[in-house]
Every structure is written in C-alpha cells, then in structure tokens.
Amino acid sequence: MFRTAIITIGVLTVGLCVPVHGQDYSKLNFNIGGGVSTPLNPTGSFAGVSGNFAVGAGYNIDKRHSVIGEFMWSGLPPNRFALQPINAPFGNVNLYTLTANYRYHLDKIGGSAFGAYVIAGGGWYFRHASIDKNYVVPPNTVCEPVFTWWGFVCDSGGFVVTQTIASKGASAGGVNAGVGFTIRIGDSGWKFYTESRYHYAWTNRTPTTLIPVTFGIRLN
C-alpha cells in the first residue's frame, strides 16, 4: 500500500511540474508538508506524539472552492505513560490515509499576503501495527485494552489468546475537518501554510482519533 502511495505521489508531482501546452495552472492545486501529530482519546490512551507527512493535489473550481485528493502518513508510537503489561511486546503503529477533501479558501485577507481556509473530507484509513515476531502472550494473561490495540484477541473468559503476531493491519472509513492559514510567496501562486485538522476513523475495537499540525508549501 505504501509503495502504491509513493507512486501516486510521483505521478501527481510530475503532472504538476511538467509544462503542458495550453494548460491553465490556475486550475491546479498542490500541497506538501509535514509536522506533528497528537492522538486524542481513545487513541491517546495507547499512542503518543509523533510526526506526520502529507501530500495532495486537486482542482480549483473557482477562486474560493477547491477539491483535493490527499495522502497522509502519521506515526502512532507506544504511549510511555499508558499502563503496559509486564513484558509487553515492542513495536510500532503507523497510520496511512487516502482522502478526498473540499477546501473553501480566502487567498488574500484585506489585500494582504495572508490567507485562510477551512477544509473537510473523508476516505480510507489504514492502521498498521507491527510487533516483535517472537513475542508470545503468556497463557491466562488477563485482558488489557492495550492488547486489543496491538491486535491480540481476547476470548469470552476475559483472557488473551496465546499467539505470535508479526504484524496486523486494520482498514476503516474516516472523516476529517480543520482550518489552515497561508502566506503568499511574492506574486506567485505558491504559499507557505500551516494547518490543524481533526481526524476520526471507525477502526475496529479502538477508533483512530488524532490532530495533525502540518507545515508546508501549497500551490493555489
């Protein structure tokens, strides 16, 4: 999945950067950036602060309305403040998203170089957990919420099923909404931007909730 996303990013970038005769670049938009992601509960009970990366491209309907297809990666490392079972597995969780979004933007506020926008959308959220492939849950271990986060299954008696897991992925639909601010670079269509967006995905057992704060550059 990650390889497919990288290929898609490359195609979008080439399509935006290679000149095409008669092409109206004012109708295209592109953004790329990165920053910090903060998980919210219930995700925040198991994951801590990490980095994020986002890239997108789309079409400007007019000067204020745009649609954007976007890929985002965000890390979800183990939360060291959460209660962990003794001899817990070591691993990591990564979130990958592909979303379609609508953006309403004011590129100039009072004729200045500053702008603002609101953005919202939804799409596919894939949460992938990987742990030490040699880890085995001890027999009759009492079920803790952290085990379902890592993908272990609890039986009806409240105990964790003993098994060895190398990795596990979970897909779900999700939505997002947020606000952003821009600063125009000279007289070009390029802008620096900062954005904060809330994401919620209906992932099985534990919903995925986080707020990435992203900094980057945006075209149109």
Side-chain angles (χ1 to χ4, degrees), residues 40-62:
L40 305 178
N41 285 330
T43 301
S45 299
F46 311 109
V49 175
S50 185
N52 72 69
F53 168 79
V55 61
Y59 179 77
N60 298 321
I61 301 170
D62 56 32

PDB file of all heavy atoms in Angstrom, residues 40-62:
ATOM      1  N   LEU A  40      -5.732  11.769  20.180  1.00  0.00           N
ATOM      2  CA  LEU A  40      -6.740  12.057  21.187  1.00  0.00           C
ATOM      3  C   LEU A  40      -7.334  10.741  21.680  1.00  0.00           C
ATOM      4  O   LEU A  40      -7.242   9.718  21.003  1.00  0.00           O
ATOM      5  CB  LEU A  40      -7.840  12.936  20.597  1.00  0.00           C
ATOM      6  CG  LEU A  40      -7.389  14.252  19.947  1.00  0.00           C
ATOM      7  CD1 LEU A  40      -8.589  14.981  19.366  1.00  0.00           C
ATOM      8  CD2 LEU A  40      -6.651  15.135  20.950  1.00  0.00           C
ATOM      9  N   ASN A  41      -7.957  10.771  22.845  1.00  0.00           N
ATOM     10  CA  ASN A  41      -8.591   9.554  23.353  1.00  0.00           C
ATOM     11  C   ASN A  41      -9.733   9.123  22.446  1.00  0.00           C
ATOM     12  O   ASN A  41     -10.438   9.966  21.897  1.00  0.00           O
ATOM     13  CB  ASN A  41      -9.113   9.793  24.771  1.00  0.00           C
ATOM     14  CG  ASN A  41      -7.985   9.809  25.793  1.00  0.00           C
ATOM     15  OD1 ASN A  41      -6.964   9.149  25.614  1.00  0.00           O
ATOM     16  ND2 ASN A  41      -8.180  10.568  26.850  1.00  0.00           N
ATOM     17  N   PRO A  42      -9.895   7.789  22.205  1.00  0.00           N
ATOM     18  CA  PRO A  42      -9.204   6.693  22.903  1.00  0.00           C
ATOM     19  C   PRO A  42      -7.812   6.360  22.368  1.00  0.00           C
ATOM     20  O   PRO A  42      -7.066   5.652  23.018  1.00  0.00           O
ATOM     21  CB  PRO A  42     -10.152   5.519  22.699  1.00  0.00           C
ATOM     22  CG  PRO A  42     -10.791   5.791  21.377  1.00  0.00           C
ATOM     23  CD  PRO A  42     -10.980   7.282  21.320  1.00  0.00           C
ATOM     24  N   THR A  43      -7.460   6.850  21.180  1.00  0.00           N
ATOM     25  CA  THR A  43      -6.139   6.543  20.632  1.00  0.00           C
ATOM     26  C   THR A  43      -5.029   7.022  21.559  1.00  0.00           C
ATOM     27  O   THR A  43      -3.998   6.362  21.726  1.00  0.00           O
ATOM     28  CB  THR A  43      -5.973   7.190  19.250  1.00  0.00           C
ATOM     29  OG1 THR A  43      -6.989   6.701  18.377  1.00  0.00           O
ATOM     30  CG2 THR A  43      -4.611   6.878  18.645  1.00  0.00           C
ATOM     31  N   GLY A  44      -5.232   8.190  22.200  1.00  0.00           N
ATOM     32  CA  GLY A  44      -4.218   8.754  23.074  1.00  0.00           C
ATOM     33  C   GLY A  44      -3.915   7.910  24.293  1.00  0.00           C
ATOM     34  O   GLY A  44      -2.893   8.120  24.957  1.00  0.00           O
ATOM     35  N   SER A  45      -4.777   6.943  24.609  1.00  0.00           N
ATOM     36  CA  SER A  45      -4.504   6.052  25.739  1.00  0.00           C
ATOM     37  C   SER A  45      -3.386   5.067  25.428  1.00  0.00           C
ATOM     38  O   SER A  45      -2.786   4.485  26.342  1.00  0.00           O
ATOM     39  CB  SER A  45      -5.777   5.274  26.108  1.00  0.00           C
ATOM     40  OG  SER A  45      -6.815   6.146  26.492  1.00  0.00           O
ATOM     41  N   PHE A  46      -3.112   4.859  24.142  1.00  0.00           N
ATOM     42  CA  PHE A  46      -2.130   3.850  23.738  1.00  0.00           C
ATOM     43  C   PHE A  46      -0.992   4.414  22.903  1.00  0.00           C
ATOM     44  O   PHE A  46       0.063   3.787  22.796  1.00  0.00           O
ATOM     45  CB  PHE A  46      -2.829   2.756  22.925  1.00  0.00           C
ATOM     46  CG  PHE A  46      -4.075   2.234  23.571  1.00  0.00           C
ATOM     47  CD1 PHE A  46      -5.321   2.517  23.051  1.00  0.00           C
ATOM     48  CD2 PHE A  46      -3.998   1.478  24.727  1.00  0.00           C
ATOM     49  CE1 PHE A  46      -6.474   2.048  23.650  1.00  0.00           C
ATOM     50  CE2 PHE A  46      -5.146   0.998  25.342  1.00  0.00           C
ATOM     51  CZ  PHE A  46      -6.389   1.289  24.806  1.00  0.00           C
ATOM     52  N   ALA A  47      -1.181   5.583  22.280  1.00  0.00           N
ATOM     53  CA  ALA A  47      -0.175   6.144  21.377  1.00  0.00           C
ATOM     54  C   ALA A  47       0.224   7.538  21.823  1.00  0.00           C
ATOM     55  O   ALA A  47      -0.572   8.273  22.425  1.00  0.00           O
ATOM     56  CB  ALA A  47      -0.710   6.183  19.948  1.00  0.00           C
ATOM     57  N   GLY A  48       1.473   7.901  21.493  1.00  0.00           N
ATOM     58  CA  GLY A  48       1.993   9.206  21.858  1.00  0.00           C
ATOM     59  C   GLY A  48       2.180  10.113  20.657  1.00  0.00           C
ATOM     60  O   GLY A  48       1.821   9.787  19.531  1.00  0.00           O
ATOM     61  N   VAL A  49       2.769  11.268  20.902  1.00  0.00           N
ATOM     62  CA  VAL A  49       3.014  12.270  19.865  1.00  0.00           C
ATOM     63  C   VAL A  49       4.048  11.761  18.874  1.00  0.00           C
ATOM     64  O   VAL A  49       5.028  11.112  19.251  1.00  0.00           O
ATOM     65  CB  VAL A  49       3.482  13.593  20.508  1.00  0.00           C
ATOM     66  CG1 VAL A  49       3.857  14.620  19.449  1.00  0.00           C
ATOM     67  CG2 VAL A  49       2.400  14.142  21.425  1.00  0.00           C
ATOM     68  N   SER A  50       3.845  12.046  17.587  1.00  0.00           N
ATOM     69  CA  SER A  50       4.774  11.600  16.558  1.00  0.00           C
ATOM     70  C   SER A  50       4.741  12.579  15.387  1.00  0.00           C
ATOM     71  O   SER A  50       4.059  13.613  15.429  1.00  0.00           O
ATOM     72  CB  SER A  50       4.419  10.190  16.087  1.00  0.00           C
ATOM     73  OG  SER A  50       5.389   9.701  15.169  1.00  0.00           O
ATOM     74  N   GLY A  51       5.460  12.235  14.318  1.00  0.00           N
ATOM     75  CA  GLY A  51       5.498  13.084  13.139  1.00  0.00           C
ATOM     76  C   GLY A  51       4.423  12.707  12.134  1.00  0.00           C
ATOM     77  O   GLY A  51       3.766  11.668  12.239  1.00  0.00           O
ATOM     78  N   ASN A  52       4.233  13.580  11.130  1.00  0.00           N
ATOM     79  CA  ASN A  52       3.308  13.290  10.042  1.00  0.00           C
ATOM     80  C   ASN A  52       3.849  13.857   8.738  1.00  0.00           C
ATOM     81  O   ASN A  52       4.692  14.759   8.729  1.00  0.00           O
ATOM     82  CB  ASN A  52       1.901  13.838  10.336  1.00  0.00           C
ATOM     83  CG  ASN A  52       1.827  15.349  10.252  1.00  0.00           C
ATOM     84  OD1 ASN A  52       1.939  15.943   9.188  1.00  0.00           O
ATOM     85  ND2 ASN A  52       1.642  16.002  11.394  1.00  0.00           N
ATOM     86  N   PHE A  53       3.351  13.317   7.634  1.00  0.00           N
ATOM     87  CA  PHE A  53       3.701  13.783   6.288  1.00  0.00           C
ATOM     88  C   PHE A  53       2.440  13.759   5.450  1.00  0.00           C
ATOM     89  O   PHE A  53       1.648  12.803   5.523  1.00  0.00           O
ATOM     90  CB  PHE A  53       4.764  12.881   5.669  1.00  0.00           C
ATOM     91  CG  PHE A  53       4.976  13.124   4.197  1.00  0.00           C
ATOM     92  CD1 PHE A  53       5.731  14.202   3.751  1.00  0.00           C
ATOM     93  CD2 PHE A  53       4.396  12.291   3.247  1.00  0.00           C
ATOM     94  CE1 PHE A  53       5.915  14.440   2.393  1.00  0.00           C
ATOM     95  CE2 PHE A  53       4.581  12.515   1.891  1.00  0.00           C
ATOM     96  CZ  PHE A  53       5.346  13.595   1.466  1.00  0.00           C
ATOM     97  N   ALA A  54       2.217  14.812   4.652  1.00  0.00           N
ATOM     98  CA  ALA A  54       1.022  14.876   3.819  1.00  0.00           C
ATOM     99  C   ALA A  54       1.369  15.445   2.453  1.00  0.00           C
ATOM    100  O   ALA A  54       2.212  16.351   2.333  1.00  0.00           O
ATOM    101  CB  ALA A  54      -0.047  15.745   4.490  1.00  0.00           C
ATOM    102  N   VAL A  55       0.720  14.914   1.420  1.00  0.00           N
ATOM    103  CA  VAL A  55       0.881  15.441   0.068  1.00  0.00           C
ATOM    104  C   VAL A  55      -0.453  15.299  -0.648  1.00  0.00           C
ATOM    105  O   VAL A  55      -1.173  14.309  -0.459  1.00  0.00           O
ATOM    106  CB  VAL A  55       2.004  14.699  -0.707  1.00  0.00           C
ATOM    107  CG1 VAL A  55       1.693  13.221  -0.867  1.00  0.00           C
ATOM    108  CG2 VAL A  55       2.253  15.355  -2.062  1.00  0.00           C
ATOM    109  N   GLY A  56      -0.802  16.300  -1.438  1.00  0.00           N
ATOM    110  CA  GLY A  56      -2.090  16.258  -2.115  1.00  0.00           C
ATOM    111  C   GLY A  56      -2.078  17.045  -3.408  1.00  0.00           C
ATOM    112  O   GLY A  56      -1.186  17.851  -3.668  1.00  0.00           O
ATOM    113  N   ALA A  57      -3.082  16.810  -4.234  1.00  0.00           N
ATOM    114  CA  ALA A  57      -3.245  17.528  -5.492  1.00  0.00           C
ATOM    115  C   ALA A  57      -4.721  17.521  -5.853  1.00  0.00           C
ATOM    116  O   ALA A  57      -5.463  16.602  -5.467  1.00  0.00           O
ATOM    117  CB  ALA A  57      -2.424  16.890  -6.610  1.00  0.00           C
ATOM    118  N   GLY A  58      -5.145  18.552  -6.570  1.00  0.00           N
ATOM    119  CA  GLY A  58      -6.551  18.607  -6.921  1.00  0.00           C
ATOM    120  C   GLY A  58      -6.877  19.684  -7.924  1.00  0.00           C
ATOM    121  O   GLY A  58      -6.007  20.164  -8.670  1.00  0.00           O
ATOM    122  N   TYR A  59      -8.140  20.106  -7.911  1.00  0.00           N
ATOM    123  CA  TYR A  59      -8.678  21.015  -8.925  1.00  0.00           C
ATOM    124  C   TYR A  59      -9.362  22.194  -8.240  1.00  0.00           C
ATOM    125  O   TYR A  59     -10.119  22.012  -7.276  1.00  0.00           O
ATOM    126  CB  TYR A  59      -9.688  20.260  -9.787  1.00  0.00           C
ATOM    127  CG  TYR A  59     -10.340  21.083 -10.867  1.00  0.00           C
ATOM    128  CD1 TYR A  59      -9.656  21.387 -12.047  1.00  0.00           C
ATOM    129  CD2 TYR A  59     -11.640  21.559 -10.718  1.00  0.00           C
ATOM    130  CE1 TYR A  59     -10.258  22.134 -13.048  1.00  0.00           C
ATOM    131  CE2 TYR A  59     -12.254  22.300 -11.709  1.00  0.00           C
ATOM    132  CZ  TYR A  59     -11.559  22.589 -12.872  1.00  0.00           C
ATOM    133  OH  TYR A  59     -12.161  23.338 -13.862  1.00  0.00           O
ATOM    134  N   ASN A  60      -9.086  23.411  -8.745  1.00  0.00           N
ATOM    135  CA  ASN A  60      -9.733  24.615  -8.244  1.00  0.00           C
ATOM    136  C   ASN A  60     -10.994  24.881  -9.054  1.00  0.00           C
ATOM    137  O   ASN A  60     -10.918  25.198 -10.241  1.00  0.00           O
ATOM    138  CB  ASN A  60      -8.791  25.809  -8.332  1.00  0.00           C
ATOM    139  CG  ASN A  60      -7.551  25.632  -7.474  1.00  0.00           C
ATOM    140  OD1 ASN A  60      -7.624  25.113  -6.368  1.00  0.00           O
ATOM    141  ND2 ASN A  60      -6.409  26.037  -7.990  1.00  0.00           N
ATOM    142  N   ILE A  61     -12.150  24.775  -8.414  1.00  0.00           N
ATOM    143  CA  ILE A  61     -13.410  25.030  -9.100  1.00  0.00           C
ATOM    144  C   ILE A  61     -13.519  26.501  -9.469  1.00  0.00           C
ATOM    145  O   ILE A  61     -13.926  26.855 -10.583  1.00  0.00           O
ATOM    146  CB  ILE A  61     -14.584  24.608  -8.201  1.00  0.00           C
ATOM    147  CG1 ILE A  61     -14.471  23.110  -7.862  1.00  0.00           C
ATOM    148  CG2 ILE A  61     -15.922  24.906  -8.886  1.00  0.00           C
ATOM    149  CD1 ILE A  61     -15.441  22.652  -6.805  1.00  0.00           C
ATOM    150  N   ASP A  62     -13.161  27.359  -8.540  1.00  0.00           N
ATOM    151  CA  ASP A  62     -13.054  28.798  -8.799  1.00  0.00           C
ATOM    152  C   ASP A  62     -12.062  29.366  -7.792  1.00  0.00           C
ATOM    153  O   ASP A  62     -11.283  28.609  -7.202  1.00  0.00           O
ATOM    154  CB  ASP A  62     -14.427  29.492  -8.732  1.00  0.00           C
ATOM    155  CG  ASP A  62     -15.142  29.268  -7.400  1.00  0.00           C
ATOM    156  OD1 ASP A  62     -14.460  29.146  -6.354  1.00  0.00           O
ATOM    157  OD2 ASP A  62     -16.382  29.210  -7.399  1.00  0.00           O
TER     158      ASP A  62
END
